[in-house]
Amino acid sequence: MDQFARGLLEEAKRFYEKARDEHSDEGKQAYLHSALMLGFCSFEANINSIAADFLVRPELTILDQSILGEREFRFADGEFVLVDGLKMYRLNERVEFIHRRFSGAPLDKTQAFWSQFKTALSLRNELTHPKQQTVLKEEAVAQALESILAVLDAIYRAVYKKPYPARKRGLASKMTF
């Protein structure tokens, strides 16, 4: 799963590179859309991979398991139990939960990357749930991808005590298509 998530991020960065080189507005927007959406696909795949790493711990409460596995829970026979069914949590809330639960400290939301990440989420949501046509700018997509890298790095440093491996390459993709 980690390799797949990193591959999606490399694709996102490559589409961003292609957007910078594209001369037509139509092509530029298509590449920027692809870069932003694949960036968030990668981010969510990374978060799900991290959650899966911890989901096997026996000391987790039902609520912990519900948040990590995005599963519904109910009260049955005098206790809370997980049931089949999807229970969606906001992406930023899952990030905050994972950071605090497995590092013991809250995510520092005063860091610039967090506000940039929230802006990137809003931009992604404008594309996912359009109410009007959104024209992306290269700078906004670059900042979105950089914020994704920064949030993943913060989580990795807090939880795994090491930097996120793909962070050091920045927005330079390893792909050449």
Side-chain angles (χ1 to χ4, degrees):
M1 182 68 115
D2 289 342
Q3 280 304 106
F4 179 68
R6 286 191 191 120
L8 289 172
L9 185 57
E10 289 302 317
E11 290 175 24
K13 293 188 299 184
R14 183 64 184 136
F15 279 120
Y16 171 70
E17 291 168 343
K18 290 183 90 54
R20 286 190 337 226
D21 296 337
E22 180 61 41
H23 298 293
S24 76
D25 289 340
E26 183 180 73
K28 185 176 288 290
Q29 284 302 298
Y31 286 134
L32 291 173
H33 289 160
S34 298
L36 182 66
M37 298 309 282
L38 279 170
F40 272 100
C41 287
S42 169
F43 184 80
E44 291 196 48
N46 272 286
I47 295 303
N48 288 336
S49 180
I50 293 166
D53 285 349
F54 291 100
L55 199 51
V56 297
R57 289 186 169 190
E59 74 274 9
L60 293 179
T61 67
I62 293 295
L63 183 56
D64 292 341
Q65 293 174 48
S66 174
I67 295 169
L68 291 173
E70 291 191 305
R71 290 191 49 207
E72 188 70 49
F73 65 94
R74 300 238 191 299
F75 192 70
D77 296 325
E79 67 180 345
F80 287 105
V81 294
L82 291 175
V83 295
D84 287 333
L86 182 65
K87 169 76 172 149
M88 299 294 290
Y89 292 90
R90 290 180 182 267
L91 185 56
N92 59 306
E93 291 172 348
R94 284 184 83 208
V95 168
E96 291 179 64
F97 172 79
I98 289 170
H99 193 286
R100 181 183 282 270
R101 178 66 174 83
F102 300 109
S103 76
L107 180 72
D108 184 358
K109 295 186 285 185
T110 65
Q111 294 290 320
F113 70 78
W114 187 249
S115 65
Q116 292 165 349
F117 180 72
K118 297 283 286 200
T119 299
L121 266 174
S122 294
L123 193 58
R124 190 272 317 248
N125 290 341
E126 286 179 31
L127 291 179
T128 305
H129 312 287
K131 293 181 178 52
Q132 62 189 17
Q133 183 176 355
T134 299
V135 177
L136 296 178
K137 301 213 181 307
E138 285 180 37
E139 301 78 28
V141 173
Q143 191 170 62
L145 294 174
E146 287 169 354
S147 73
I148 286 169
L149 287 167
V151 172
L152 287 171
D153 190 59
I155 292 171
Y156 265 68
R157 289 177 186 277
V159 174
Y160 298 119
K161 309 300 184 229
K162 61 182 182 178
Y164 179 65
R167 175 90 192 268
K168 60 186 150 197
R169 288 189 56 83
L171 297 185
S173 175
K174 294 190 283 187
M175 295 188 164
T176 59
F177 66 86

